[in-house]
Amino acid sequence: MCGIVGAVAQRNIVGVLIEGLRRLEYRGYDSSGLSFLDEKGDTCVYRNTGKVKNLANSLAASSASGFAGIAHTRWATHGVPSEVNAHPHQSSEVTVVHNGIIENHAELRKEMQAQGYVFVSDTDTEAVAHLIHYYFSSLGSLKGAVQKTITRLQGAYALGVMCAREPGTLIGARSGSPLVLGLGVAENFIASDQMALRQVTDRFIFLEEGDLVELRDSSYHLIDILGETAERETVTISSADEIADKGEYDHYMLKEIFEQPKVLKATLQGRISEKHVLPEAFGTAAPAIFSKTESVHIVACGTSYHAGLIAKYWLEEWTGILCQVEVASEYRYRTCVIPENTLFVTISQSGETADTLAALQAAKKAGYLASLVICNVANSSLVRASDLVLMTCAGPEIGVASTKAFTAQLAALQLLCIGLGRSQGLDHKKEQQLVEALHQLPELCRKTLELSGAIEKTFQPFADKNHALFLGRGVQFPVALEGALKLKEISYVHAEAYPAGELKHGPLALIDSKMPVIAVAPNNALLEKLKSNLQEVKARGGQLFVFADHDAGLKNEPGVTVISIPHVPKSLEAIIYTLPLQLLSYHVAVLKGTDIDQPRNLAKSVTVE
């Protein structure tokens, strides 16, 4: 995920831009660059591959100084990591940095080439720079040129733009990728993340979809998607370290559960358009690799393993691609048959999970087509060792029991499944249906989390329970596995999960009035089968707690407690039904009085075998 920093001030801003880039390093990048207007009004551009420190060293050697500038960390999508492909990109007096993906860049490139513009990079962003310059040449206004340009752009973008002919002006615009305005005294800023600007201000305006802002050192002008002047709330962030502050929550885990709507939105931003997944989100090499992929092998541990199990259902149903899912510690020590053209996928929150890393190292020698990692830490070992990378945007997760990182993994896995499907002939209508559902995901999560109080009240009887059984069918079976894992991790209640259809094959022997049974029951094709399984539990005196779609026809009765879940698209059921199970585990752990954020015997990142 690329990063943007921009500043216009009455002081030298070069150091501010460099520090902002350093604070964005967590997002991951392969090159960085910076442009500013010096005291003579000339545009100075510095670009490097590798770390921000390389860029900082180049600037230190030049004694650079400027009062307006933009900076960028890039993760390659169009064009390999190189100095020429690094941002900022120029078109005469105009300089641009860009996060996101411009879908119609090839069309714009041809159009600009026909107007005499010469392209020197392989990026989609250079087409934007030339288009802005083209309009600026006729309009004579940078704001007007950017306004005209963004009407031509298809895809996702956050833009930072400056022009040597308007030296005191900086333009920011966003659609599908985040951008924040930072307010100072005689200085103003833009960034893709407010953390990039915490060293210079605590006052922020979060731009909304379609917003454009014109900044000067002592003023700013916001315009909405309709071109009208807009007012946005100024947010003051008082804590010097947001991550260390639990805020209104008693535990990090609860805070992280409630951060999921924001996290899912961030993970999807810039990677989906209105109707489809942007293939460039997986990196420049992905289209060629995906077109050759005939099967997928997912390897992970713990919660990430459950994410892989869910993805198997999606991948095989939507694309017809064979998918194997395996625990990394088992994969390491068995002889594995590898079908031709198999993509090896690892999943890890930390990117340092020892067994998963060892599995990747073994896979690189075993003849797989390529490797892809889904990870939350940009500079981790798994990210550095993989051919393709798909970053989640969960932010730091402090609680040992993974919550927001898990659902972010699921969102990323949906992107991967759809991306692979496009290369395998996935029906366009099906892709549109899946993507439209993803656009609903953050709001559906928010509504589901409103059940927290009801769940807390419902599960008061668990104060004296020491065992629990979780049931699910189809894709809800791995959801049940994850629910059982969460409960045992933080409450120390012994919990197991089974496919509901397996009850008669052993687990039914455990059922009595002291064994609570938790089931997940979305209104899908397997609902009637699940109802029959639940009757087996009820007939034997089991105490049932059912998270059910409000249209599933399940009602409260003696021995059966139903928690109603909003109806959701079938493709989102696994993600949404995970949330109440997280809340269940949390509230039971509170009842038990355990150390919720640091449960006994467990570590956040398992870096040894």
Side-chain angles (χ1 to χ4, degrees), residues 83-118:
E83 188 171 317
V84 73
N85 286 330
H87 296 215
H89 288 285
Q90 286 184 279
S91 181
S92 189
E93 311 101 325
V94 172
T95 311
V96 175
V97 291
H98 163 228
N99 288 354
I101 294 167
I102 305 301
E103 295 180 71
N104 60 332
H105 71 96
E107 171 191 331
L108 296 175
R109 177 180 285 254
K110 290 180 181 178
E111 180 181 331
M112 291 296 96
Q113 286 173 330
Q115 294 293 333
Y117 287 91
V118 177

Side-chain angles (χ1 to χ4, degrees), residues 458-606:
T458 298
F459 287 91
Q460 292 293 318
F462 270 56
D464 62 352
K465 302 297 183 185
N466 296 310
H467 306 278
L469 186 66
F470 286 72
L471 300 177
R473 295 207 70 145
V475 73
Q476 295 299 325
F477 167 49
V479 172
L481 285 170
E482 176 62 14
L485 175 61
K486 284 292 156 287
L487 187 62
K488 70 182 73 169
E489 274 184 307
I490 63 168
S491 71
Y492 315 147
V493 170
H494 171 239
E496 295 186 58
Y498 281 89
E502 283 289 292
L503 274 171
K504 291 180 179 178
H505 296 273
L508 208 55
L510 297 171
I511 301 301
D512 59 21
S513 60
K514 298 179 181 179
M515 172 67 81
V517 178
I518 298 101
V520 280
N523 190 8
N524 58 27
L526 290 170
L527 177 62
E528 294 305 316
K529 297 288 185 183
L530 178 65
K531 286 181 178 179
S532 297
N533 303 138
L534 299 184
Q535 286 299 320
E536 295 172 351
V537 174
K538 183 184 174 186
R540 288 157 179 83
Q543 185 180 11
L544 274 167
F545 297 85
V546 187
F547 293 97
D549 186 294
H550 59 63
D551 294 327
L554 290 164
K555 298 180 180 179
N556 290 317
E557 57 182 298
V560 180
T561 301
V562 178
I563 302 94
S564 181
I565 304 296
H567 181 71
V568 298
K570 180 175 180 290
S571 59
L572 301 183
E573 288 171 351
I575 302 176
I576 295 299
Y577 278 77
T578 293
L579 305 182
L581 300 187
Q582 294 174 348
L583 290 167
L584 153 65
S585 301
Y586 173 79
H587 289 304
V588 171
V590 171
L591 284 172
K592 295 284 188 179
T594 61
D595 189 344
I596 291 172
D597 288 328
Q598 295 182 313
R600 67 190 184 199
N601 306 330
L602 299 179
K604 184 62 182 171
S605 179
V606 183

Side-chain angles (χ1 to χ4, degrees), residues 4 19 36 169 222 252 279 319 379 401 403 468 483 494 522 563 577 597:
I4 286 175
E19 178 58 24
F36 59 89
T169 301
L222 256 171
Y252 284 112
T319 73
N379 296 311
T403 52
H494 171 239
I563 302 94
Y577 278 77
D597 288 328

Side-chain angles (χ1 to χ4, degrees), residues 72 74 77-78 85 87-89 96-100 102 105 109 119 121-131 159:
H72 190 266
R74 174 182 186 253
T77 55
H78 298 78
N85 286 330
H87 296 215
H89 288 285
V96 175
V97 291
H98 163 228
N99 288 354
I102 305 301
H105 71 96
R109 177 180 285 254
F119 284 73
S121 77
D122 300 316
T123 68
D124 53 342
T125 305
E126 191 177 1
V128 178
H130 290 316
L131 194 60
L159 297 172

Side-chain angles (χ1 to χ4, degrees), residues 307-478:
L309 289 174
I310 291 169
K312 175 183 172 69
Y313 285 86
W314 294 337
L315 191 63
E316 294 192 345
E317 178 184 349
W318 300 345
T319 73
I321 296 175
L322 172 68
C323 181
Q324 299 180 72
V325 186
E326 198 158 359
V327 174
S329 57
E330 292 298 311
Y331 173 85
R332 293 178 63 183
Y333 298 107
R334 77 173 185 89
T335 301
C336 182
V337 177
I338 305 169
E340 189 175 358
N341 291 324
T342 297
L343 178 65
F344 188 83
V345 176
T346 57
I347 311 170
S348 171
Q349 188 282 137
S350 68
E352 303 294 345
T353 309
D355 286 314
T356 308
L357 186 57
L360 174 59
Q361 291 166 347
K364 292 173 92 59
K365 303 175 184 177
Y368 287 91
L369 173 65
S371 61
L372 180 148
V373 64
I374 292 173
C375 187
N376 195 44
V377 180
N379 296 311
S380 61
S381 299
L382 277 169
V383 168
R384 294 196 304 270
S386 298
D387 299 316
L388 301 175
V389 176
L390 186 58
M391 297 299 301
T392 54
C393 299
E397 189 178 60
I398 307 301
V400 166
S402 181
T403 52
K404 63 177 181 174
F406 175 67
T407 51
Q409 287 172 352
L410 293 179
L413 283 162
Q414 280 219 5
L415 296 179
L416 175 61
C417 293
I418 298 169
L420 281 167
R422 290 190 69 183
S423 300
Q424 306 293 327
L426 177 66
D427 180 74
H428 291 304
K429 290 184 179 179
K430 178 64 174 178
E431 180 182 4
Q432 180 177 342
Q433 178 188 33
L434 294 171
V435 171
E436 287 174 348
L438 285 173
H439 282 292
Q440 302 175 48
L441 180 57
E443 178 60 17
L444 288 171
C445 282
R446 188 192 63 77
K447 289 182 178 178
T448 305
L449 291 172
E450 291 176 355
L451 295 169
S452 181
I455 291 170
E456 180 181 13
K457 183 178 179 180
T458 298
F459 287 91
Q460 292 293 318
F462 270 56
D464 62 352
K465 302 297 183 185
N466 296 310
H467 306 278
L469 186 66
F470 286 72
L471 300 177
R473 295 207 70 145
V475 73
Q476 295 299 325
F477 167 49

